Amino acid sequence: MRFLLFLIILFHFSCSQEKKKNIAKKTEEQNKITVIFKGRTYEKDSIKDPSGSVSYSLAKMFYRENNDFVDYELNVENVNKPDTIVITTKNKIYLQHPFHLNFSATYILKPGDTVVFNYPNDTPYITYLNKNADSLGTNEYVRRNLEYPLVESGLSFFEKNKRKRNKQEEEKAQQDYKERNTIILSHFNSLKEKQAIEDEIYQINTFNQFENIEKHDSIFNATINLGIEKYSNCLLYSFYNKFPVVKIKTGNGVFVDSRINFDNVLKINSIKSKNKDFLLYTFLEEIINNFSKRDAEKYFQLFSENVTDKKLIEIIEKKYYGISKKATQKESTNVNFINENKKETSLDEVVSNYKGKVLYIDFWASWCAPCRAAMPSSRKLHETYKNENIEFIYVSIDKNFDAWTKAYKKEFISGDNNFLATNYPEATLYKEILLKSIPRYLIYDKNGKLVNDNAPSPDSQEIITELKKYL
């Protein structure tokens, strides 16, 4: 009798456990968004220079969660082949899809959705497999913007004609711009009247949420969904109307001085905490990417003291490794690296570890198109010398750890000789060899001596001759 009772209890326990597993599995599936990207050519998103070389648009695909302004980049690999990405989230997301160089469409996706992007004429059209997307007006932004060509920008006009527009030409351009927007808006209003478009999609594409906001101060305290890029851009636009742009020339080019912008945000007396966090976060990222490590550390400290949502501090620390680490004298003299597992090392240690071998060091970055274009040749060169006393070292000067991780995996350079520079450009060596542009290649001989601080590229004939000298 006791044994029978035991079996009954065991049976009920097993059923309960199985039920819990099924509930957990169902919940997990409900918290997933599946996005299928059909293959595309990227022909309409490519820039061709006079030499015939082609580079893809630098515009990135990303999404934001509902009312969250943090960008999560999507590493889509669908050149002439399909790719599928699964996003795990409990929240609605806004996916930003750039296309044809000048446009970017916003798509609303919810947990449980499965969607497919098709690319007729290299143009993104979305289909929801769990609802009828077309009847909701989802693809109207793409259709209408392709139907009515963009008005030529002032920069494009200058590059073509080698002069600025005169007064009459500028007035005509402004009139054309207004007429184009009026026509597109009328299409969306028509869809709205027919109830053929979702309210939120209508709001995103017509952007009339801010029609009645006339004073810049009013939007600083407005409740807006910062997860939608157009809304957060409106906040930035209002900021720049209140605080004029100040530009500065640095070693990397001419940039808006985001340090001044950051300081100005702190001066705004009346501002909603979420809006303030967004502005501080945006300008901090610009400082990290465009200014010195000293500036980055200073403003990260200010950010930590003033930001309301403390989770943003962790996001910045994860995204930009070492940002909260104060530079020391050792860091300024040594060339410091971390590997894929964030283990710290230095160039001196790497050279010492490979004493007796020639080192060919490739300085690159995820955002550097020429660097990425040379990677296949680098792999080929590596294969040619695989039985020789030579090591190929890859050092990225990326500031974004995640961007570096995605890029090195895509370029098949993961391994013991793959590093991220953590104190570029402060280290003494970078200044001594004037390493200001990439790709850049160095050669160390078998004794650990730097023998060529501007070596030939891996896709050149000269590199064969150069390496033979030291082998």
Side-chain angles (χ1 to χ4, degrees):
M1 190 70 176
R2 287 181 180 178
F3 181 70
L4 180 61
L5 183 62
F6 171 76
L7 288 178
I8 293 171
I9 294 171
L10 183 63
F11 174 76
H12 281 291
F13 176 77
S14 298
C15 289
S16 177
Q17 291 299 103
E18 189 64 30
K19 187 176 181 180
K20 286 181 180 178
K21 285 181 182 178
N22 289 336
I23 292 172
K25 186 177 180 181
K26 187 176 180 181
T27 302
E28 185 181 350
E29 290 300 318
Q30 288 174 340
N31 291 341
K32 286 183 178 178
I33 299 171
T34 303
V35 189
I36 302 166
F37 299 91
K38 295 294 187 178
R40 58 182 295 204
T41 65
Y42 282 85
E43 179 70 25
K44 297 292 180 89
D45 283 81
S46 303
I47 302 172
K48 299 177 182 177
D49 64 27
S51 69
S53 64
V54 177
S55 61
Y56 293 145
S57 166
L58 295 178
K60 296 176 181 178
M61 192 180 306
F62 65 90
Y63 71 89
R64 293 177 179 177
E65 295 194 351
N66 188 44
N67 205 28
D68 181 0
F69 52 75
V70 177
D71 294 341
Y72 298 95
E73 188 179 338
L74 290 177
N75 188 27
V76 181
E77 300 180 16
N78 65 330
V79 181
N80 297 319
K81 64 176 183 179
D83 191 16
T84 299
I85 290 180
V86 177
I87 300 167
T88 302
T89 178
K90 296 178 181 179
N91 302 313
K92 176 170 62 177
I93 70 168
Y94 301 92
L95 189 148
Q96 207 68 33
H97 193 316
F99 65 100
H100 293 203
L101 295 177
N102 297 307
F103 303 106
S104 188
T106 302
Y107 300 93
I108 303 170
L109 308 179
K110 298 175 183 177
D113 279 350
T114 297
V115 302
V116 179
F117 278 101
N118 287 286
Y119 296 91
N121 196 26
D122 220 23
T123 302
Y125 287 91
I126 191 173
T127 301
Y128 290 73
L129 298 188
N130 49 328
K131 63 179 178 180
N132 186 342
D134 242 16
S135 68
L136 304 172
T138 308
N139 290 308
E140 286 303 314
Y141 176 84
V142 173
R143 288 196 184 103
R144 298 311 171 195
N145 277 282
L146 293 183
E147 185 177 352
Y148 299 99
L150 280 173
V151 177
E152 186 177 33
S153 69
L155 179 61
S156 176
F157 181 91
F158 182 84
E159 289 175 344
K160 187 194 302 182
N161 300 284
K162 308 304 178 188
R163 66 175 178 84
K164 293 183 178 180
R165 288 189 181 113
N166 59 38
K167 184 179 179 181
Q168 187 177 359
E169 289 167 335
E170 183 60 34
E171 288 175 354
K172 175 69 165 57
Q174 291 295 329
Q175 184 61 33
D176 290 345
Y177 177 78
K178 288 179 180 178
E179 288 179 3
R180 178 184 185 274
N181 284 353
T182 300
I183 293 170
I184 292 176
L185 178 60
S186 70
H187 282 295
F188 281 102
N189 287 338
S190 175
L191 289 172
K192 177 74 171 173
E193 289 174 7
K194 297 173 185 175
Q195 296 184 332
I197 187 170
E198 288 185 4
D199 286 343
E200 193 171 17
I201 294 173
Y202 173 81
Q203 292 287 340
I204 290 172
N205 288 294
T206 59
F207 207 37
N208 63 3
Q209 182 169 340
F210 302 107
E211 281 179 356
N212 299 321
I213 296 179
E214 297 175 356
K215 294 182 179 179
H216 306 302
D217 287 337
S218 62
I219 192 174
F220 294 138
N221 251 322
T223 300
I224 55 177
N225 188 348
L226 290 167
I228 300 171
E229 188 190 29
K230 290 181 180 179
Y231 292 179
S232 57
N233 283 347
C234 184
L235 185 57
L236 278 172
Y237 177 78
S238 293
F239 174 86
Y240 282 122
N241 271 282
K242 186 176 179 68
F243 300 99
V245 173
V246 177
K247 292 188 177 181
I248 185 171
K249 189 173 183 180
T250 73
N252 296 326
V254 178
F255 297 99
V256 171
D257 196 335
S258 304
R259 299 167 301 181
I260 294 176
N261 290 342
F262 191 104
D263 294 336
N264 283 333
V265 175
L266 298 179
K267 295 176 185 176
I268 303 174
N269 294 323
S270 180
I271 184 170
K272 197 173 181 67
S273 60
K274 188 85 174 178
N275 297 351
K276 180 180 179 182
D277 284 355
F278 163 73
L279 291 171
L280 292 177
Y281 182 91
T282 299
F283 295 139
L284 177 63
E285 283 206 299
E286 291 175 2
I287 292 167
I288 293 170
N289 286 311
N290 299 328
F291 293 89
S292 70
K293 187 175 182 182
R294 182 177 297 176
D295 285 327
E297 288 173 342
K298 172 188 172 182
Y299 280 92
F300 175 75
Q301 183 62 36
L302 284 171
F303 179 79
S304 302
E305 294 167 0
N306 289 280
V307 73
T308 304
D309 185 354
K310 299 303 179 183
K311 288 186 295 184
L312 295 172
I313 300 172
E314 296 176 17
I315 290 172
I316 290 289
E317 285 180 317
K318 181 178 182 295
K319 198 171 182 181
Y320 302 100
Y321 178 82
I323 186 64
S324 59
K325 185 178 179 181
K326 294 296 181 184
T328 64
Q329 187 60 35
K330 181 180 177 183
E331 285 179 319
S332 64
T333 55
N334 286 356
V335 177
N336 293 331
F337 303 153
I338 57 170
N339 66 11
E340 299 166 15
N341 299 314
K342 296 187 178 179
K343 182 180 178 182
E344 296 183 353
T345 184
S346 68
L347 178 59
D348 288 345
E349 288 179 41
V350 173
V351 172
S352 177
N353 290 341
Y354 285 121
K355 211 68 171 287
K357 290 190 174 186
V358 174
L359 301 186
Y360 183 64
I361 302 181
D362 178 342
F363 283 92
W364 70 290
S366 65
W367 43 261
C368 171
C371 302
R372 305 286 293 271
M375 286 299 178
S377 297
S378 182
R379 292 194 291 271
K380 187 176 179 181
L381 190 67
H382 193 169
E383 183 65 22
T384 301
Y385 287 98
K386 65 180 179 181
N387 297 320
E388 302 282 352
N389 279 332
I390 181 169
E391 290 290 334
F392 291 82
I393 312 293
Y394 298 91
V395 181
S396 168
I397 64 169
D398 271 291
K399 294 187 178 181
N400 186 320
F401 186 89
D402 290 338
W404 169 58
T405 301
K406 291 173 184 175
Y408 75 63
K409 288 179 179 178
K410 194 170 182 179
E411 299 298 347
F412 306 104
I413 56 176
S414 178
D416 294 338
N417 295 342
N418 181 34
F419 302 101
L420 180 70
T422 56
N423 63 339
Y424 175 84
E426 286 79 18
T428 304
L429 175 70
Y430 299 131
K431 296 171 183 175
E432 288 176 347
I433 66 174
L434 301 177
L435 200 159
K436 293 182 178 179
S437 61
I438 52 175
R440 181 78 174 269
Y441 307 94
L442 312 184
I443 296 177
Y444 282 76
D445 67 13
K446 292 181 180 181
N447 296 316
K449 180 183 178 183
L450 177 59
V451 290
N452 193 332
D453 65 14
N454 198 1
S457 64
D459 56 357
S460 67
Q461 288 299 317
E462 291 79 9
I463 188 58
I464 304 295
T465 305
E466 187 68 14
L467 290 175
K468 282 181 179 178
K469 289 182 187 179
Y470 309 107
L471 285 172

